[in-house]
Amino acid sequence: QVQLVESGGGLVQAGGSLRLSCAASGRTISRFTMAWFRQAPGKEREFVVGISRGGSYAVPKGRFTISRDNDKNTVYLQMNSLRPEDTAAYYCAARTGWTTSSFSTDYDYWGQGTQVTVSS
């Protein structure tokens, strides 16, 4: 079992930046492929970016960068040049596979989410 807790969300103006954190407990994240998803009201949960157990990246979103600090057992999502359409609840997820996946059903553990609101 691994527990994931996201933090760092909030209200930001368009063009601004935020860094989300996902702190894990229970097991070391070095054993997991990690990812960030987001879900806007009335929309499906969508894959944002992921990082494999070996540290390589999935297709990045350009403005969004994922990183991991295995010593701190934490994953980060740096979001730059934010737009109103980035407004959503952002979720951290973990899977035991070696590669990233864009399918939410491939992930075994989820955090509770942190809200990001981008004002125009």
Side-chain angles (χ1 to χ4, degrees):
Q1 280 286 74
V2 63
Q3 292 77 44
L4 304 173
V5 178
E6 302 96 335
S7 61
L11 175 64
V12 63
Q13 287 189 329
S17 299
L18 276 178
R19 189 177 80 154
L20 306 183
S21 299
C22 172
S25 60
R27 294 181 67 183
T28 173
I29 62 168
S30 63
R31 295 182 175 271
F32 296 92
T33 287
M34 305 297 295
W36 287 92
F37 286 76
R38 69 184 183 184
Q39 188 168 19
K43 294 189 176 181
E44 298 281 326
R45 188 168 295 191
E46 66 170 343
F47 174 79
V48 177
V49 66
I51 186 166
S52 66
R53 288 174 65 173
S56 62
Y57 292 88
V59 177
K61 286 285 191 177
R63 297 179 293 117
F64 295 173
T65 303
I66 188 171
S67 60
R68 65 193 302 159
D69 186 334
N70 289 343
D71 290 337
K72 294 183 178 179
N73 226 27
T74 301
V75 175
Y76 303 97
L77 179 65
Q78 178 66 43
M79 305 186 293
N80 298 324
S81 302
L82 284 163
R83 304 165 181 167
E85 53 264 39
D86 295 320
T87 294
Y90 283 72
Y91 297 89
C92 176
R95 65 187 299 261
T96 54
W98 278 94
T99 58
T100 56
S101 170
S102 61
F103 297 100
S104 61
T105 52
D106 287 340
Y107 289 81
D108 306 299
Y109 304 101
W110 292 85
Q112 83 290 347
T114 186
Q115 178 67 34
V116 172
T117 302
V118 184
S119 62
S120 58

